[in-house]
Amino acid sequence: MDFNIPQDIADYLNVLDQFIEDEIRPLEQQDDNIRFFDHRREWARTDFENGGLPRPEWEELLREAKRRADKAGHLRYALPKEFGGQDGSNLGMAIIREHFAKQGLGLHNDLQNEHSIVGNFPQILMLRDFARPDQKHLAEDALNGKFLACFGLTEPDHGSDATHMETRAVREKRDGKDGWLINGEKMWITGMHVATHIMLFCRTSGEDGDAKGITCLLVPARDPGVIIEEYMWTFNMPTDHPRLTIKDVWVPEDAVFGPPEGGLALAQHFVHENRIRQAASSVGAAMYCINESVQYARERKPFGKALATNQAIQFPLVELATEAEMLRLLIFKTAWEMDQMSKPEVAIHLSDKVSMCNYRANRLCCNAADRAMQVHGGMGYSRHKPFEHIYRHHRRYRITEGSEEIQMRKVGGHLFGFMGPNKHGQAKGEKDSKGKSTEPTDFAVR
């Protein structure tokens, strides 16, 4: 067994660090940008001025960082070479994401905006794997910013239970063309303020709770029947998560994306890759909080004696550091194992390990950020330090990338044989007394 980071990835980390130093830090230090990156953001006031949405100048900074990263060949690292990527592995992405988060916040990596100079592109692979021949151009359009699709799965009354969605699409012909008439509501539709389209999931057949019968339709985001009712303000301001009403929206038959009646395959297509990368980010951010707290405790000397000599300071950080080291190894091991398997094999054999990594890493990060605030005292609670920002951001991942409870349910299912390779007591495809599959459906809530 070799626990060393592979040499090619270790070398690439050095390349990325040099790129950050040469291209990203100078961008942050421009006079107009400094206040944004020294954590004195005055969010509440400025967000109200912009209606709660992210400020345009912030988003332009993120776009410029990505443009520079793309020009240097870093942004698309994880994508296949056919899309200008480097065929980056799951292990490579986990190591990079942890490395970035361990450096703290900045234009190189600020996942509040799902932003990183080494991007995560689940939608591109979704477009590659599910698009019809006449839709294949959408992947390149997405990379060039011409096609910006948000994900319309969650509803006001249905999050983790997405198979019970109430948005309906029924067949309707207009002007001699076959199509679909859609009515319903959606919630937490991230990125709607800049989207050109919505990947809108609708029930087109079957009954509530059926996995089959849900279809994804590509809906123009500015259709008059797509009504933004409100942007949902959250703990992690600013917001780009609206609640929508879909009222009598008609789309032609060629708006169907992916397998008709099998739309949940899209929602599950990249879930394991997303979760392991996000877990790595959480561990990296936790290690940043721990390291900053240790350094501060050694420097701060109330009553003439360093905080670090106090066991009430030492022991909580010891526990956090111990858990971080254990999780780091599990995350890297699981990511490496994912690289040895096909997607279907990962879903069968590693889904529980990915869930372990994700829910524990998210919880660890919140605990580490909370402890860092405590160690740093008043300054830790203020926005002069990044800990409250890290806490607010990573706290949402305990809900949104599959809630803790959903992740634990997955682990329990594998542990007790209700799902996974050791499943017993039910043949694959077996139905319950109501004719529904008893195999749980697993996907991220968005």
Side-chain angles (χ1 to χ4, degrees), residues 77-89:
Y77 166 83
L79 286 177
K81 290 180 180 177
E82 66 183 289
F83 294 114
Q86 301 183 42
D87 288 321
S89 64

Side-chain angles (χ1 to χ4, degrees), residues 20-175:
I20 291 169
E21 192 65 29
D22 293 343
E23 292 285 339
I24 302 301
R25 298 296 183 221
L27 182 61
E28 291 177 356
Q29 295 305 316
Q30 293 174 9
D31 288 344
D32 291 342
N33 303 337
I34 288 175
R35 194 171 70 163
F36 176 63
F37 288 101
D38 68 1
H39 311 297
R40 299 169 178 88
R41 293 184 172 101
E42 300 183 34
W43 279 353
R45 179 178 64 82
T46 53
D47 289 345
F48 274 119
E49 290 174 358
N50 196 42
L53 293 171
R55 293 173 64 187
E57 57 267 37
W58 297 359
E59 296 197 312
E60 178 53 34
L61 276 175
L62 301 178
R63 283 192 290 269
E64 176 58 25
K66 287 180 178 178
R67 282 193 289 266
R68 295 185 182 195
D70 203 14
K71 183 179 179 181
H74 303 314
L75 184 67
R76 306 186 193 192
Y77 166 83
L79 286 177
K81 290 180 180 177
E82 66 183 289
F83 294 114
Q86 301 183 42
D87 288 321
S89 64
N90 285 298
L91 177 60
M93 280 296 286
I95 291 170
I96 289 168
R97 284 300 177 88
E98 186 224 47
H99 180 74
F100 280 177
K102 196 158 55 176
Q103 296 179 31
L105 304 176
L107 262 183
H108 71 291
N109 195 68
D110 187 351
L111 296 181
Q112 174 188 322
N113 314 88
E114 302 299 337
H115 165 81
S116 178
I117 60 168
V118 175
N120 197 35
F121 293 99
Q123 193 177 78
I124 302 301
L125 299 184
M126 190 185 300
L127 291 166
R128 179 197 66 180
D129 294 343
F130 290 102
R132 300 187 309 268
D134 62 309
Q135 296 172 330
K136 290 294 185 183
H137 65 94
L138 293 177
E140 196 59 40
D141 288 349
L143 286 169
N144 293 330
K146 297 177 182 177
F147 177 77
L148 302 172
C150 51
F151 207 69
L153 181 65
T154 303
E155 298 185 351
D157 293 327
H158 304 287
S160 299
D161 61 337
T163 55
H164 293 260
M165 68 177 60
E166 297 176 46
T167 298
R168 297 288 190 268
V170 297
R171 291 190 177 277
E172 181 177 291
K173 185 173 288 191
R174 288 191 181 180
D175 300 325

Side-chain angles (χ1 to χ4, degrees), residues 231-413:
Y231 278 92
M232 308 300 295
W233 278 71
T234 70
F235 187 40
N236 187 34
M237 305 184 298
T239 180
D240 59 352
H241 320 292
R243 175 172 62 89
L244 307 178
T245 294
I246 313 297
K247 184 173 177 60
D248 294 331
V249 172
W250 184 87
V251 293
E253 182 67 27
D254 62 12
V256 173
F257 180 73
E261 317 294 314
L264 283 187
L266 275 67
Q268 295 176 297
H269 183 55
F270 209 71
V271 67
H272 296 101
E273 291 87 344
N274 269 342
R275 286 178 177 174
I276 201 69
R277 294 171 189 182
Q278 197 276 307
S281 293
S282 284
V283 164
M287 294 172 76
Y288 172 80
C289 293
I290 294 165
N291 293 339
E292 290 291 304
S293 296
V294 169
Q295 181 178 334
Y296 182 80
R298 290 170 62 89
E299 295 171 352
R300 184 73 168 181
K301 296 181 178 179
F303 309 106
K305 192 174 183 180
L307 280 173
T309 61
N310 187 336
Q311 289 180 337
I313 295 293
Q314 293 177 17
F315 284 6
L317 291 171
V318 166
E319 292 191 342
L320 292 168
T322 302
E323 185 171 2
E325 286 297 326
M326 291 188 293
L327 267 170
R328 184 174 187 263
L329 289 176
L330 180 60
I331 289 167
F332 288 175
K333 171 179 175 289
T334 304
W336 179 85
E337 290 178 327
M338 289 172 66
D339 289 329
Q340 317 308 310
M341 300 182 187
S342 66
K343 274 182 178 288
E345 289 173 325
V346 168
I348 294 170
H349 297 287
L350 284 180
S351 190
D352 59 329
K353 300 300 188 299
V354 174
S355 288
M356 288 177 184
C357 292
N358 191 268
Y359 94 83
R360 291 296 298 192
N362 295 334
R363 188 185 295 178
L364 168 67
C365 186
C366 289
N367 290 341
D370 182 78
R371 176 54 51 180
M373 283 188 272
Q374 192 71 21
V375 171
H376 283 77
M379 285 297 290
Y381 183 65
S382 78
R383 289 183 178 172
H384 292 258
K385 292 290 183 180
F387 309 121
E388 54 82 30
H389 175 107
I390 292 170
Y391 180 88
R392 283 186 288 106
H393 168 65
H394 286 268
R395 181 61 181 85
R396 72 169 174 165
Y397 279 134
R398 295 172 65 184
I399 300 170
T400 58
E401 196 63 35
S403 69
E404 282 188 0
E405 292 76 16
I406 290 293
Q407 309 271 26
M408 294 173 75
R409 181 171 177 259
K410 169 69 62 140
V411 176

Side-chain angles (χ1 to χ4, degrees), residues 187-207:
M187 188 89 156
W188 308 116
I189 310 305
T190 304
M192 181 66 187
H193 66 305
V194 295
T196 61
H197 291 77
I198 310 170
M199 287 184 166
L200 193 69
F201 291 81
C202 316
R203 181 160 292 285
T204 52
S205 68
E207 299 179 2

